[in-house]
Amino acid sequence: MFSVTCIAPVNIAIVKYWGKRHEELILPINDSISMTLGTNELCAKTTIAASEGFQHNRMWLNDDELPVEEDSRLMRCLKGVQRLALANGSQKVSLSWKVHIASRNNFPTAAGLASSAAGYACLVYSLARLYGVPINEELTTIARQGSGSACRSLYGGFVQWHSGALDDGSDSVAKPVVSAQHWPNMHVLILVVNDERKKTSSTKGMQRSMTTSQLIQHRVDKIVPERTANLKKAIEARDFPSFAEITMKDSNQFHAIALDTYPPCVYMNDVSHAIVDFVHSYNETIGEVQAAYTFDAGPNACIYVLKENVAKLLAAVQKVFPNDATESVEYLRGISVSATVEKHPAFNGTLNVQAKNLLKYIIHTKVGDGPCQLSDDNSLLINGLPLSH
Ligand code: DP6
């Protein structure tokens, strides 16, 4: 039996991917740019074992076995990496052997964070390691077929997914913009919002936007090209205010397209909108843009903020969104923040204090690196079965 264990990061889009030109190959209608988050706080971990003795391909996600269907996205990724292994002549592990896959997230799935991006990136990266396939742009075309946003999780730092123009999708690849080391003090506070409502999945939501939104094509033709170019300039120059403005405007535009969809896709809730208001009044009070929100297909906020401003922003978040659990380690997760926070006199009276307990918890993380392989003692499988079996 051969086995590998790897971890892969979550990424959060700054210029959003929304809409496909090819459903099966997962080809997007526009370029997108994301930032990869640190794996210490958020990651998917996957072990893949291959053995002559296995009867079927099997998969366990967070310990629950899932059926592996022939036309699933998982099988498309498996066949895709096997095709690359064949083309590369790498025959480390026999392609005829079945595989057992176990995957876990180190963060609660219920948090509604981008778990599919990290999960498929980890699957494809682990398969590449298992079969001895090089980690390169071509591999991102396979990850893309698991979940579009997954292709961006194969790199650290800031990453661009190029929509490409070819029908076969071979030029629809993710490429690094800059590594995590370029802007190491770029941090993120994820505000996990208390919310029970089931949302329309990204896949379904963007299908519906493609057929009904009258604004979506305008975004693709007139907005995204200039926005991606300007965002890359802001990242290269480490220009936070420009970065922040583009981030917030693109989040708002993505949700405007979601609302222009018919019936509308409503992903943000009242708490999300209170967070938007809070960030704008916070920046105004300080007299400088020091925080930038972005929301994916759910109500949780990711707030980009430079390291030196984290403590001040967090103090303001705690003031505006009071919580009974503020003091507990469960409430404030991730990178620790020094408790000595200067009180900004201007905050008194300028920020609207909200009702208690609107947030479930907060995760503090930062820009991070791409996937990596771990040693065998991290394996999630023993003799080909999950540890819990
Ligand atoms: C709002 O990658 O989850 O997070 O390709 O259908 O699997 P599929 O969709 P997915 O969509 C992500 C949408 C988004 C924006 C983004 O990450 O760019």
Side-chain angles (χ1 to χ4, degrees):
M1 185 181 337
F2 285 92
S3 111
V4 297
T5 300
C6 303
I7 52 169
V10 166
N11 75 78
I12 301 293
I14 303 159
V15 172
K16 308 287 184 193
Y17 144 54
W18 196 251
K20 298 183 182 68
R21 60 188 168 90
H22 194 296
E23 229 18 78
E24 273 209 354
L25 290 174
I26 309 198
L27 300 177
I29 54 171
N30 62 272
D31 282 24
S32 53
I33 296 184
S34 59
M35 188 178 96
T36 297
L37 303 183
T39 47
N40 282 345
E41 292 75 40
L42 300 163
C43 74
K45 179 175 167 187
T46 302
T47 298
I48 307 185
S51 161
E52 202 173 1
F54 292 164
Q55 304 292 309
H56 308 280
N57 293 318
R58 294 176 74 182
M59 157 89 194
W60 292 264
L61 179 61
N62 295 326
D63 282 336
D64 294 327
E65 184 159 11
L66 302 178
V68 178
E69 276 145 21
E70 211 30 52
D71 61 347
S72 59
R73 288 179 172 197
L74 184 146
M75 282 305 288
R76 238 176 278 161
C77 291
L78 176 61
K79 287 178 192 161
V81 180
Q82 289 183 335
R83 210 169 36 241
L84 293 185
L86 207 58
N88 279 299
S90 31
Q91 296 295 327
K92 208 170 121 196
V93 172
S94 168
L95 299 179
S96 63
W97 293 0
K98 302 291 183 198
V99 294
H100 284 188
I101 303 165
S103 192
R104 291 179 153 281
N105 299 323
N106 74 343
F107 55 95
T109 320
L113 297 164
S115 55
S116 69
Y120 279 106
C122 206
L123 172 76
V124 167
Y125 184 86
S126 306
L127 286 167
R129 290 286 179 187
L130 181 75
Y131 293 119
V133 167
I135 312 298
N136 58 20
E137 272 172 26
E138 200 175 9
L139 194 66
T140 71
T141 68
I142 311 292
R144 187 195 76 217
Q145 295 176 62
S147 189
S149 51
C151 68
R152 299 184 311 236
S153 273
L154 284 180
Y155 296 108
F158 293 84
V159 184
Q160 181 168 9
W161 176 12
H162 297 260
S163 63
L166 299 175
D167 287 343
D168 69 355
S170 55
D171 59 347
S172 184
V173 294
K175 296 184 191 192
V177 175
V178 292
S179 74
Q181 287 65 43
H182 171 78
W183 209 353
N185 56 338
M186 181 61 94
H187 282 225
V188 170
L189 287 184
I190 303 173
L191 309 188
V192 179
V193 171
N194 262 322
D195 184 74
E196 301 302 327
R197 251 165 28 94
K198 181 118 186 62
K199 299 285 180 314
T200 314
S201 72
S202 298
T203 308
K204 292 241 163 62
M206 64 177 91
Q207 270 168 5
R208 208 194 289 165
S209 297
M210 284 302 288
T211 50
T212 62
S213 169
Q214 294 177 297
L215 299 180
I216 199 167
Q217 200 55 44
H218 174 74
R219 166 172 167 77
V220 172
D221 298 337
K222 298 279 186 281
I223 309 287
V224 172
E226 197 183 330
R227 205 164 260 178
T228 49
N230 289 340
L231 177 62
K232 284 203 286 186
K233 273 190 219 151
I235 293 169
E236 269 146 28
R238 296 185 200 90
D239 171 355
F240 189 86
S242 304
F243 168 90
E245 186 177 326
I246 296 171
T247 302
M248 294 188 276
K249 284 185 170 171
D250 203 70
S251 173
N252 294 340
Q253 185 168 82
F254 153 51
H255 290 279
I257 302 276
L259 285 182
D260 183 49
T261 299
Y262 192 81
C265 298
V266 183
Y267 292 123
M268 292 167 69
N269 64 16
D270 288 352
V271 182
S272 317
H273 290 292
I275 295 170
V276 168
D277 284 348
F278 157 71
V279 170
H280 286 292
S281 3
Y282 175 84
N283 288 334
E284 209 167 292
T285 304
I286 286 178
E288 201 180 292
V289 181
Q290 290 190 357
Y293 55 79
T294 189
F295 296 81
D296 279 345
N300 302 323
C302 286
I303 307 186
Y304 290 98
V305 54
L306 295 179
K307 184 181 181 188
E308 51 272 34
N309 298 323
V310 170
K312 189 166 57 183
L313 174 66
L314 187 63
V317 169
Q318 307 277 40
K319 184 181 159 112
V320 171
F321 297 94
N323 202 294
D324 289 330
T326 301
E327 301 302 323
S328 84
V329 283
E330 284 298 293
Y331 186 69
L332 186 55
R333 305 176 186 199
I335 305 169
S336 61
V337 184
S338 103
T340 50
V341 177
E342 255 178 77
K343 291 252 175 336
H344 199 292
F347 288 156
N348 294 326
T350 57
L351 300 176
N352 272 336
V353 176
Q354 302 289 321
K356 263 190 165 182
N357 304 335
L358 297 180
L359 303 181
K360 207 184 274 177
Y361 54 87
I362 299 172
I363 306 171
H364 175 204
T365 180
K366 63 177 185 174
V367 63
D369 295 322
C372 67
Q373 187 171 349
L374 303 179
S375 63
D376 288 344
D377 45 343
N378 291 286
S379 179
L380 296 172
L381 295 168
I382 292 182
N383 299 324
L385 290 174
L387 301 174
S388 57
H389 286 60

